[in-house]
Amino acid sequence: MKTISVQEITAVTRKLCMDVNYDLPGDVERALQDGLKREESSFGQYCLEQILQNCQMAREHQQAMCQDTGIAVVYLEVGQDVHIVGGSLTEAIHEGVRQGYEDGYLRKSVVAEPLFGRDNTGDNTPAVIHTEIVPGEQLRIMVVPKGAGSENMGAVKMLKPADGLEGAKKFILDTVRQAGGNPCPPIIVGVGVGGTMEKAPMLAKKALTREIGSKNTNGLYAKLEEELLADINKMGIGPQGLGGRVTALAVHIEYYPTHIAMLPVAVNINCHAARHKEIVL
Amino acid sequence: MGTVKRVTTPLTEEAIAALQAGDSVLLSGVIYTARDKAHKLLTETLAAGKELPVDLRNQLIYYVGPAPAKPGQPIGSCGPTTSSRMDSYAPMLIRQAGLKGMLGKGPRSQEVIAAMKENKAVYLAAIGGTGVAISHAVKKAEVIAYEELGTCAIRRLEVEDLPCIVAIDCEGNNLYEQGIAQYRRD
């Protein structure tokens, strides 16, 4: 049994919120550099150069790489032998987000209620928290800020089993094509297949945090990831939608068993600022 | 990429006519920020026949919600937001308030392009996700209307050599369509 205090959880969450917005993960930066080598369009090359330069400046100045510092999505993997003391785990996360966004000069982009007033909560809380109980005595906290430009372009559809592989591919490609230049390409495409209506988008979102270039362990899905990436990069959308070869840096698919009569498919798109950072306590 | 042109606000008819889709632009002068909520309020004010809190004649609106400034900075990261969210409001500002320029990211609707052609307005695109670099082109920032909207308030920015691209010119030439058509293989 391991004991972790809520104060520690708040402190590390605060730090993660700041660091994740200043420091683009190395795999994403390398994928952008590789993209620059492949890009044929001069606009595309210019965009990629500017994006890479901005990423350096963000680190150097400890300033948010993008002004849309997102709504904070927080993944928690709580070991079943962990004992959290001193207060509420959920509150500790919200407090960490509150402090991180305030102290890190990050934009507060959360409205308290979506339909009527849409008044800003002023501190970027609440976070969206996904908690999983796992074996062991560790607590893993991953912060994934998600901006609206790319999140607004996602979609979920309950296909019929008869729609099959072709139907799923069509839905995924149509979603990306329709998004065009809006989600700040080059994008990362997260796909969730199977489960239920809420499970598929959860898989799609989590798929975005996989290391770029990693493949699904099931060879059939790994091949599908490759095929879809090639198809997307034939669309000509290019960096920022101004035309080019590098529309997506990766397609990551995750799947889950589903019902005999279901075929849920979800697509979650990430902009090139694919921010995620984690810590294990 | 096209030639690099220096543009200073307020936008004259001649300056706009000289801009062609695909030109690179270094933008200087005073520009105004506004996004969804400010656009809603501006168009409601126009519809009610009242005076706008800012004179938009020959001016340019930048679609941005900046991050907070660190001490000593005029503004925090301030890259463009998705312009299409302003598509339902932009034609009214172009037709009735004399707005001549917009700066944002991503494609625009046919309605916006029609209003731009009728009134000789231009749409510029900055590179989304380069908010740190763009913030260095902003020399001064002050909130001038709708302060209660926080990051969504209308700000008056003084910018110097802000890098952007003519995405849609006043003739309706559209880089998003031309660029994608050039590289499409499917």
Side-chain angles (χ1 to χ4, degrees):
Chain A
M1 176 81 77
K2 182 174 186 175
T3 300
I4 303 174
S5 75
V6 290
Q7 285 82 3
E8 189 182 0
I9 292 166
T10 292
V12 298
T13 305
R14 170 185 177 275
K15 181 93 176 22
L16 280 173
C17 287
M18 293 195 267
D19 291 347
V20 76
N21 277 295
Y22 305 155
D23 183 18
L24 190 72
D27 60 323
V28 183
E29 194 176 5
R30 282 190 295 278
L32 288 165
Q33 285 160 347
D34 290 346
L36 179 57
K37 289 178 202 149
R38 283 198 312 279
E39 185 52 74
E40 293 168 22
S41 138
S42 56
F43 279 120
Q45 290 168 358
Y46 173 71
C47 291
L48 290 165
E49 283 163 4
Q50 295 289 310
I51 290 163
L52 284 161
Q53 189 199 343
N54 186 74
C55 152
Q56 297 281 0
M57 290 171 84
R59 275 192 203 115
E60 186 187 327
H61 297 277
Q62 294 283 288
Q63 187 179 333
M65 65 187 84
C66 177
Q67 73 290 337
D68 191 349
T69 51
I71 183 166
V73 179
V74 180
Y75 290 93
L76 297 177
E77 278 179 27
V78 186
Q80 61 196 29
D81 297 326
V82 171
H83 184 206
I84 291 156
V85 295
S88 145
L89 169 61
T90 304
E91 251 324 298
I93 297 293
H94 291 320
E95 184 56 29
V97 169
R98 187 175 289 124
Q99 292 179 12
Y101 274 72
E102 186 57 34
D103 299 346
Y105 298 91
L106 306 176
R107 197 177 82 183
K108 288 78 181 173
S109 311
V110 175
V111 298
E113 164 277 305
L115 276 183
F116 296 94
R118 293 190 68 87
D119 291 328
N120 199 302
T121 61
D123 60 7
N124 221 52
T125 68
V128 173
I129 304 174
H130 302 298
T131 309
E132 200 181 341
I133 307 290
V134 297
E137 50 172 31
Q138 290 184 332
L139 171 64
R140 185 188 297 268
I141 306 173
M142 178 161 63
V143 175
V144 187
K146 193 70 199 295
S150 61
E151 188 75 355
N152 280 342
M153 297 296 129
V156 58
K157 195 167 183 184
M158 302 303 287
L159 297 179
K160 295 183 185 73
D163 295 326
L165 178 60
E166 286 313 306
K169 280 167 76 170
K170 182 175 185 307
F171 171 65
I172 296 160
L173 294 174
D174 285 349
T175 303
V176 172
R177 193 178 292 109
Q178 203 172 353
N182 285 308
C184 267
I187 54 174
I188 296 159
V189 182
V191 178
V193 190
T196 46
M197 199 187 132
E198 83 286 4
K199 181 72 181 174
M202 295 284 291
L203 293 168
K205 179 65 133 275
K206 196 77 186 282
L208 292 172
T209 64
R210 251 172 56 191
E211 186 171 334
I212 294 189
S214 65
K215 296 180 192 320
N216 192 296
T217 50
N218 178 325
L220 293 169
Y221 283 83
K223 189 161 164 281
L224 181 58
E225 290 174 342
E226 263 175 50
E227 275 175 32
L228 287 168
L229 180 61
D231 287 345
I232 289 167
N233 284 332
K234 281 181 195 154
M235 288 178 186
I237 296 168
Q240 294 294 305
L242 295 167
R245 299 280 175 238
V246 185
T247 301
L249 301 174
V251 176
H252 292 164
I253 308 175
E254 294 295 321
Y255 68 94
Y256 196 80
T258 190
H259 187 280
I260 46 172
M262 287 183 199
L263 176 51
V265 182
V267 179
N268 194 312
I269 296 175
N270 212 114
C271 60
H272 58 75
R275 294 154 285 185
H276 50 90
K277 217 172 229 344
E278 63 175 46
I279 195 166
V280 179
L281 297 178
Chain B
M1 284 176 65
T3 46
V4 179
K5 291 178 177 162
R6 286 180 183 275
V7 174
T8 306
T9 57
L11 299 168
T12 63
E13 240 172 78
E14 300 73 49
I16 291 171
L19 295 176
Q20 291 181 317
D23 287 343
S24 293
V25 168
L26 292 172
L27 179 68
S28 298
V30 169
I31 62 176
Y32 296 94
T33 73
R35 41 192 288 148
D36 320 44
K37 258 196 170 177
H39 273 78
K40 184 166 187 285
L41 294 171
L42 288 171
T43 51
E44 283 170 2
T45 306
L46 278 177
K50 292 184 185 153
E51 199 180 335
L52 294 179
V54 51
D55 185 354
L56 291 174
R57 272 172 299 179
N58 304 319
Q59 300 300 333
L60 179 142
I61 289 183
Y62 180 23
Y63 303 141
V64 61
K70 286 188 168 177
Q73 290 182 322
I75 200 164
S77 293
C78 55
T81 194
T82 309
S83 304
S84 59
R85 294 200 320 275
M86 270 53 77
D87 281 358
S88 53
Y89 307 111
M92 189 175 190
L93 295 184
I94 294 168
R95 291 197 174 106
Q96 296 185 32
L99 181 71
K100 288 290 186 185
M102 295 157 287
L103 172 62
K105 70 170 176 86
R108 307 306 301 265
S109 69
Q110 286 310 314
E111 290 74 18
V112 174
I113 296 171
M116 285 170 58
K117 285 164 73 175
E118 269 168 41
N119 297 276
K120 298 297 167 205
V122 65
Y123 171 55
L124 308 173
I127 301 174
T130 61
V132 186
I134 293 172
S135 73
H136 289 207
V138 178
K139 303 303 165 191
K140 205 175 157 195
E142 59 172 330
V143 173
I144 56 158
Y146 310 140
E147 190 168 6
E148 67 281 7
L149 300 184
T151 186
C152 304
I154 296 183
R155 285 172 172 77
R156 178 184 184 278
L157 307 184
E158 287 179 29
V159 301
E160 215 175 275
D161 290 344
L162 192 158
C164 47
I165 293 163
V166 180
I168 306 173
D169 63 29
C170 67
E171 304 291 331
N173 297 305
N174 189 341
L175 193 59
Y176 291 102
E177 284 177 0
Q178 293 169 5
I180 292 172
Q182 191 182 341
Y183 289 94
R184 222 181 131 167
R185 280 170 169 170
D186 61 349

